[in-house]
Amino acid sequence: MTVSRDELLKVARSAVDRGAELLRTAERGRIRAKSDRDYVTDLDRRIQDHIRRYLAETTPGFDFLGEESDPMSGDRAGQRMWVLDPIDGTSNFIHGLPLCAVSLALVDDGEPVIGVVNAPFLNLEYYAAAERGAFGNGTPIKASKTETLGQAIVSIGDYAVGPEAEVKNKRRFALTAELAATVERVRMFGSAALDLVWVAEGRTDACIMLSNKPWDTAAGVVISREAGAVVLDSTFRRHSLGSADTIAAAPAVADQLIALVNRSSC
């Protein structure tokens, strides 16, 4: 039986709503280190397990990848696959900061086609399906019309931790310096999903993440694209799950921003 994209969006919204309610109300549980300054809580795993079971019941046969799952294997790339971050912004959540969200995407043949992001402590829900537009709390959203970087608010991803952090952060520090000298304001929210959906909504004008994990970006990418934002990597190629980095921007500033990113890498 073929399931329509509209029906799959309903499934995705329902799944994320269930996870967001747990995030809002359930106990955090234990905090464990995954690596250097990278943590997971019992609630991350509980939300993931809850959503995974729901998706297995409603969309049997679809593959699943969660942040707290095994790494993605190459033979999954062509399948319909749900991609979940149960708590995007776990460090924020642990410290009581409301900038965290449940983020779920459906990837079809390597391309995200449905995305839902719910930030329960902010009472914000964003969703989109390919060729059906993007919505925030039920209202259509569009990327900003900002035309110059001097009028742009740009958010950046977290600085690197763990192995080779010092080397990776040289590029991030250089990018921060370039942005600080050029754009209206630089922001760091600590949640890739919120970075992307706030570009989609026009709250910010661009975001730059010098990394790319599918559970962090897949939902936000389809929402941003459906809202009219340009989503590329730093080589000016269309962003994909295999991209090394993630750049989303209002259309008029996208080329300017990628040129700035490349200057900072020299």
Side-chain angles (χ1 to χ4, degrees), residues 129-182:
E131 300 180 359
R132 286 163 173 76
F135 299 83
N137 285 1
T139 301
I141 56 175
K142 289 292 183 184
S144 82
K145 296 181 180 179
T146 298
E147 295 184 349
T148 65
L149 290 181
Q151 297 174 320
I153 291 182
V154 179
S155 68
I156 57 175
D158 288 336
Y159 295 126
V161 296
E164 301 183 357
E166 184 176 355
V167 173
K168 293 176 182 177
N169 280 330
K170 286 182 179 179
R171 185 183 178 203
R172 287 161 172 79
F173 296 154
L175 172 63
T176 302
E178 285 277 359
L179 288 168
T182 306

Side-chain angles (χ1 to χ4, degrees), residues 34-162:
K34 293 196 291 185
S35 59
D36 175 38
R37 290 168 286 166
D38 187 16
Y39 301 97
V40 61
T41 69
D42 286 345
L43 188 55
D44 286 84
R45 299 184 186 280
R46 183 178 171 189
I47 292 171
Q48 177 163 303
D49 290 345
H50 184 69
I51 290 177
R52 184 173 193 166
R53 287 194 299 270
Y54 176 77
L55 293 173
E57 292 170 1
T58 53
T59 54
F62 284 40
D63 209 338
F64 179 89
L65 175 70
E67 182 177 10
E68 312 309 329
S69 304
D70 295 331
M72 182 165 55
S73 59
D75 60 358
R76 285 168 154 170
Q79 300 176 10
R80 275 184 160 181
M81 179 172 62
W82 293 109
V83 179
L84 172 72
D85 193 337
I87 306 178
D88 185 63
T90 296
S91 289
N92 286 347
F93 171 65
I94 289 170
H95 288 274
L97 297 171
L99 301 179
C100 52
V102 181
S103 177
L104 178 67
L106 178 64
V107 174
D108 191 356
D109 196 23
E111 183 80 8
V113 294
I114 287 172
V116 181
V117 172
N118 191 314
F121 301 114
L122 302 175
N123 295 313
L124 294 173
E125 183 207 26
Y126 300 92
Y127 58 91
E131 300 180 359
R132 286 163 173 76
F135 299 83
N137 285 1
T139 301
I141 56 175
K142 289 292 183 184
S144 82
K145 296 181 180 179
T146 298
E147 295 184 349
T148 65
L149 290 181
Q151 297 174 320
I153 291 182
V154 179
S155 68
I156 57 175
D158 288 336
Y159 295 126
V161 296

Side-chain angles (χ1 to χ4, degrees), residues 211-240:
S211 61
N212 179 41
K213 299 291 187 183
W215 47 81
D216 290 327
T217 60
V221 164
V222 66
I223 294 168
S224 292
R225 283 182 175 148
E226 286 299 304
V230 175
V231 190
L232 304 169
D233 62 23
S234 59
T235 67
F236 288 87
R237 293 189 178 93
R238 178 179 171 86
H239 181 274
S240 71

